[in-house]
Amino acid sequence: MTETLLIAGARVLGRDGADILVEDGVIAEIGAGLSRDGARVIDADGLVALPGLVDLHTHLREPGYEASETILTGTRAAAAGGFTAVFAMPNTSPVADSAGVVEQELALGEAAGYATVQPIGAVTVGQKGERLAELGAMAGSRAKVRVFSDDGFCVFDPLIMRRALEYVKSFGGVIAQHAQDPRLTEGAQMNEGVVSAELGLAGWPAVAEESIIARDVLLAEHVGSRLHVCHLSTAGSVDIIRWAKKRGIQVTAEVTPHHLLLTDELVRGYDARYKVNPPLRREEDVLAVREGLADGTIDIVATDHAPHPSESKACEWQAAANGMVGLESALRVVHQSMVQTGLLEWDDIARVMSSAPARIGMLDGHGTPLEVGRPANITLYDLAVAGRFTQAELHGRSENSPYLGRELPGRVEWTIHNGVVTLAEGAVAEELVR
């Protein structure tokens, strides 16, 4: 049995304050003036209560790359950012392309306890794009994998992509594509455009993303299966997804917080914290993906949390690794780029950062409304504060955040995972009461 919690005065989805009673990991009562003897009282006066955040795109690095992150440290970072569930990408060592590896990841997440860890299986063996991985075995394993991706690598062969879409259709799975034509991006260092021309860096053209998305939505339509587009980043990609949805194709898409806020102008300083795949794009693309998220063309926000050791970033631009950490900062960046701009309300944030990711990934017990009888996965967020994002706010093993030193609104104050407090007054719990 978990401890009884009484959350006092929370603004559910930003509305009027209410008390939330949590017993045995479940929301037992919601109302005004609630009380319970022996309950741990959480003063949530003025805090926005959201369903626990769900990240469909997280790199936890374990097994194999524990110098960058572990499942324990990554889920502590998740708790700090208000996340109660994360989907772990398969680019580990060994690659998560078999039932054994995904079950190991699941067990490590359960042992850590800070967030539910749902493994994503690789589409192809070793993420090499040559033959399908054990999709059925992973789906039938204790991990119950339903999302498959070679993220970091595009499933470039159209026949293999078609076969993957056909295979997962039998159990309702989804293929999550890293849309990048490898031939059009050989040697690419940043977005192709005015800035890359001025800096003399090889460009990553928008069409390299858009052409793969266009191909894959047609393949998904042809076989009647589900496609998810990872980290969409260009205005043209938004147009293609919008067209595909109007046509009735089963496609969903995600955008990262950094593609909602940052542009390729930041590359001028050659700070490798801004090196990422897909690259930071033009201001026009940023505005387009914001609009796409606001009008529902883009379904969710996903962090693409990608930790790297300092030596992989503290080097010349061309040699630096792609990727940014983003779990701890995600909600604050979305607050700034989407709520403060008037594009989304807090019930929309609950949809794009909790309910829709859980629905796409078919993760039970997460993304559910804050209602009586539902699992107590809850994020409490303070709108009234703002400050510079610092290294002290990073709780994983890596510090490659593009937001260090940047002023961001808000702060996650409390995170509750299945009734267990994992973040209290902005501090990650050192020991979990469960």
Side-chain angles (χ1 to χ4, degrees):
M1 292 177 59
T2 59
E3 61 183 336
T4 298
L5 305 173
L6 180 58
I7 303 168
R11 297 174 55 207
V12 177
L13 301 182
R15 303 186 186 112
D16 293 339
D19 300 339
I20 304 172
L21 180 67
V22 174
E23 293 181 317
D24 298 331
V26 174
I27 297 174
E29 194 172 352
I30 299 176
L34 300 183
S35 64
R36 182 69 88 245
D37 290 343
R40 177 180 179 179
V41 178
I42 296 173
D43 182 3
D45 184 35
L47 303 184
V48 172
L50 298 168
L53 305 185
V54 177
D55 187 16
L56 196 65
H57 193 146
T58 308
H59 299 272
L60 294 178
R61 305 302 192 204
E62 188 178 12
Y65 302 107
E66 289 84 357
S68 299
E69 195 75 283
T70 67
I71 287 175
L72 174 60
T73 62
T75 52
R76 283 172 59 87
F83 290 90
T84 58
V86 293
F87 284 73
M89 279 294 176
N91 54 340
T92 51
S93 181
V95 169
D97 59 4
S98 67
V101 178
V102 296
E103 288 182 344
Q104 177 189 3
E105 293 176 337
L106 181 73
L108 288 168
E110 291 171 339
Y114 285 91
T116 297
V117 174
Q118 175 57 50
I120 291 177
V123 177
T124 64
V125 175
Q127 295 179 290
K128 295 180 179 179
E130 296 170 352
R131 57 192 177 94
L132 291 182
E134 300 174 7
L135 308 185
M138 287 187 279
S141 73
R142 196 171 76 86
K144 298 180 181 178
V145 177
R146 291 296 181 270
V147 183
F148 299 88
S149 179
D150 275 358
D151 185 61
F153 302 95
C154 178
V155 181
F156 187 51
D157 186 320
L159 181 59
I160 289 178
M161 187 63 180
R162 173 183 174 169
R163 296 293 182 240
L165 288 164
E166 289 173 331
Y167 197 108
V168 300
K169 184 180 176 182
S170 64
F171 51 80
V174 60
I175 301 297
Q177 176 68 294
H178 174 101
Q180 175 186 0
D181 187 315
R183 295 298 302 277
L184 291 174
T185 55
E186 289 181 7
Q189 294 293 319
M190 66 170 296
N191 178 58
E192 182 178 282
V194 172
V195 179
S196 67
E198 292 179 2
L199 297 179
L201 293 176
W204 200 119
V207 69
E209 173 175 301
E210 296 156 5
S211 60
I212 296 296
I213 296 174
R215 181 200 75 177
D216 287 351
V217 296
L218 293 174
L219 284 174
E221 179 182 44
H222 181 67
V223 303
S225 190
R226 297 174 60 214
L227 170 71
H228 179 74
V229 178
C230 297
H231 42 49
L232 179 152
S233 68
T234 77
S237 295
V238 177
D239 289 340
I240 295 167
I241 297 295
R242 187 175 287 121
W243 171 86
K245 286 190 169 186
K246 287 180 179 177
R247 193 176 170 95
I249 298 172
Q250 298 180 73
V251 59
T252 54
E254 71 190 33
V255 64
T256 70
H258 47 272
H259 286 114
L260 289 168
L261 185 65
L262 309 178
T263 75
D264 61 356
E265 289 289 337
L266 290 165
V267 179
R268 292 186 185 278
Y270 294 104
D271 185 338
R273 288 182 302 139
Y274 300 117
K275 188 176 182 183
V276 67
N277 184 352
L280 300 180
R281 302 290 191 181
R282 308 164 303 160
E283 179 71 19
E284 298 96 309
D285 294 303
V286 169
L287 296 176
V289 296
R290 287 183 184 180
E291 180 184 351
L293 185 63
D295 69 18
T297 300
I298 299 172
D299 300 84
I300 66 169
V301 175
T303 71
D304 193 11
H305 175 81
H308 292 289
S310 58
E311 60 268 21
S312 295
K313 286 291 190 177
C315 57
E316 64 181 14
W317 179 271
Q318 286 87 340
N322 286 306
M324 305 167 168
V325 293
L327 285 167
E328 298 97 332
S329 53
L331 183 54
R332 296 173 69 182
V333 173
V334 175
H335 179 189
Q336 183 176 77
S337 59
M338 298 302 296
V339 179
Q340 289 189 335
T341 56
L343 292 169
L344 292 180
E345 302 291 340
W346 287 105
D347 55 348
D348 299 313
I349 300 303
R351 171 174 51 83
V352 302
M353 297 190 74
S354 183
S355 62
R359 173 181 54 80
I360 292 167
M362 290 168 284
L363 184 62
D364 292 337
H366 289 272
T368 56
L370 298 180
E371 297 175 346
V372 172
R374 301 285 194 173
N377 291 302
I378 303 169
T379 300
L380 299 175
Y381 184 69
D382 190 347
L383 306 181
V385 300
R388 292 190 181 278
F389 192 74
T390 68
Q391 288 181 333
E393 296 173 85
L394 297 173
H395 295 272
R397 286 194 168 179
S398 299
E399 298 181 344
N400 53 307
S401 168
Y403 306 110
L404 292 174
R406 180 181 285 265
E407 191 82 10
L408 293 176
R411 187 172 91 144
V412 180
E413 292 290 344
W414 296 82
T415 306
I416 300 166
H417 173 232
N418 288 331
V420 176
V421 174
T422 58
L423 182 80
E425 297 180 327
V428 176
E430 291 303 320
E431 293 186 5
L432 302 180
V433 180
R434 53 175 175 160

